[in-house]
Amino acid sequence: MNTSASAQITGLHHITAIASDPQRNVDFYAGLLGLRMIKRTVNFDDPSAYHLYYGDETGRPGAIITFFYWPGHEALGRVGPGQNTAIVFSARPEALGYWETRLASAGVATVRRVRFDEDVLSFADPDGIPLEIVAVADDARTGWGGGEVPAEHALRGMHTAELTVRVATKTERLLTEVMGYRLVKRDGARARFAAPGAEARSGHFVDVIGDAEARPGVGGAGTIHHIAWSVPDDETELALQARLAAAGHPVSDVRDRDYFHSIYYREPGGILFEIATAKPGFAIDEPVERLGEKLRVPKQFAAARAIIERRLPPLKAPDWHRIAVKA
Ligand code: ZN
């Protein structure tokens, strides 16, 4: 096993949040935001819950946003310290005006701000999850141009992640001393770090905010459940698992999530972290051209497929106009 310090996280893999209404979630993320639905499946630990995956064409690490939906558990949580507190996308600088207009036409309010010398468009999803689109000139990723949003305006994946904790020091130390991240810049209570296994650029950042005043976050719909960091292969994952354990951070066994292999641990500020492999990816059980079209049931639940399917609300093709009507 490779336990050397060279085993490195390369950047963001996915963010998983909780939705109160799966159809509205599809309408918003696949319809209005134009992300590709890349997988429609159920929670590996609880097949009564939908697990909806959005991303770019193939669901590359760093572009994957996923949602759980538990029937009967639609109550909203509260966004706050101890959570990922925003989903932050990258787009071409020229696209920000397009997004302002598009979001306004769906009744979604936006605010412009500047942070770390970058133009940021802030808004929220229908459950109140804070979202941002950051104007990034230097990002070679293409996003998904096969939906309603033209390729030149497409969201290209996550730019950074935003972790809010009451006391930032311990979270920052885990990132820098164990996970290999390096400080890029700091402005007030926000610090930006870059992943060790990549250049300091969009998709490889994470921001840590220390906020001892805000009321702690409460899990539920409208909040982010966890964040996953990407590693290239199983060997790197095992090396990081050993490194985390040696540094005193309890970490799970490797779990087979079909599309990637994962380990889980909780950082000192309370946020659930996951390390996920870039392989094998989403094309293992359906071709790239058909990703996300049909419900995929993990193999261990195959025998219960009919029951699982019957309990989940059916999903129609994305249509953001349904969101505009509700707004
Ligand atoms: Zn995950």
Side-chain angles (χ1 to χ4, degrees):
M1 191 169 68
N2 172 19
T3 53
S4 77
S6 65
Q8 287 178 335
I9 292 168
T10 52
L12 301 164
H13 190 285
H14 65 268
I15 270 185
T16 294
I18 305 171
S20 71
D21 179 335
Q23 183 64 58
R24 198 168 52 163
N25 189 256
V26 170
D27 290 342
F28 188 85
Y29 285 92
L32 187 61
L33 298 192
L35 303 180
R36 183 176 193 194
M37 179 172 259
I38 51 168
K39 197 63 67 182
R40 185 184 301 217
T41 181
V42 294
N43 185 327
F44 276 71
D45 299 319
D46 178 359
S48 72
Y50 256 132
H51 198 182
L52 306 176
Y53 289 68
Y54 306 93
D56 59 6
E57 184 187 9
T58 58
R60 291 179 185 86
I64 308 162
I65 310 289
T66 89
F67 287 85
F68 292 138
Y69 164 72
W70 276 280
H73 294 81
E74 287 84 6
L76 295 182
R78 181 173 70 220
V79 177
Q83 294 175 345
N84 289 267
T85 43
I87 301 174
V88 186
F89 296 101
S90 158
R92 290 171 66 242
E94 298 78 10
L96 247 54
Y98 167 88
W99 282 107
E100 242 168 354
T101 306
R102 182 171 175 85
L103 292 165
S105 66
V108 177
T110 59
V111 175
R112 283 253 201 173
R113 50 169 60 102
V114 175
R115 179 191 304 133
F116 288 143
D117 297 323
E118 294 170 328
D119 287 319
V120 179
L121 191 64
S122 299
F123 52 107
D125 87 352
D127 287 325
I129 295 178
L131 303 180
E132 292 181 340
I133 300 173
V134 180
V136 183
D138 179 26
D139 187 347
R141 297 175 295 172
T142 51
W144 169 239
E148 233 182 276
V149 175
E152 71 263 33
H153 300 313
L155 302 178
R156 297 177 295 192
M158 287 183 275
H159 175 55
T160 184
E162 184 181 282
L163 313 179
T164 303
V165 289
R166 294 181 75 79
V167 182
T169 337
K170 286 184 178 172
T171 301
E172 293 188 2
R173 283 182 55 189
L174 170 63
L175 285 168
T176 56
E177 293 174 11
V178 185
M179 295 167 63
Y181 274 72
R182 61 191 187 278
L183 181 68
V184 178
K185 35 188 132 168
R186 194 182 285 279
D187 183 9
R190 179 186 292 258
R192 176 162 293 177
F193 299 85
E199 286 177 66
R201 63 196 301 176
S202 197
H204 308 288
F205 297 127
V206 57
D207 293 6
V208 178
I209 299 172
D211 185 349
E213 306 296 320
R215 292 200 297 165
V218 177
T223 68
I224 297 171
H225 186 269
H226 66 267
I227 181 166
W229 317 97
S230 187
V231 289
D233 49 37
D234 293 322
E235 191 184 38
T236 307
E237 180 161 273
L238 291 171
L240 279 158
Q241 184 189 41
R243 197 188 302 161
L244 284 159
H249 296 277
V251 54
S252 78
D253 294 335
V254 176
R255 312 264 166 85
D256 181 358
R257 277 20 183 145
D258 282 4
Y259 314 110
F260 41 85
H261 306 143
S262 297
I263 56 173
Y264 299 85
Y265 53 110
R266 208 167 279 281
E267 61 82 34
I271 303 171
L272 183 60
F273 280 7
E274 172 183 354
I275 290 175
T277 54
K279 289 181 278 195
F282 295 96
I284 55 160
D285 58 0
E286 53 191 348
V288 168
E289 313 82 65
R290 314 304 297 266
L291 285 179
E293 290 179 7
K294 290 210 175 101
L295 182 72
R296 311 304 307 189
V297 174
K299 42 189 179 289
Q300 64 268 37
F301 304 126
R305 186 189 166 97
I307 299 166
I308 289 169
E309 202 158 7
R310 200 161 54 234
R311 286 184 183 161
L312 291 167
L315 292 175
K316 293 181 270 202
D319 179 0
W320 64 265
H321 296 91
R322 283 191 289 255
I323 298 169
V325 169
K326 287 202 173 197

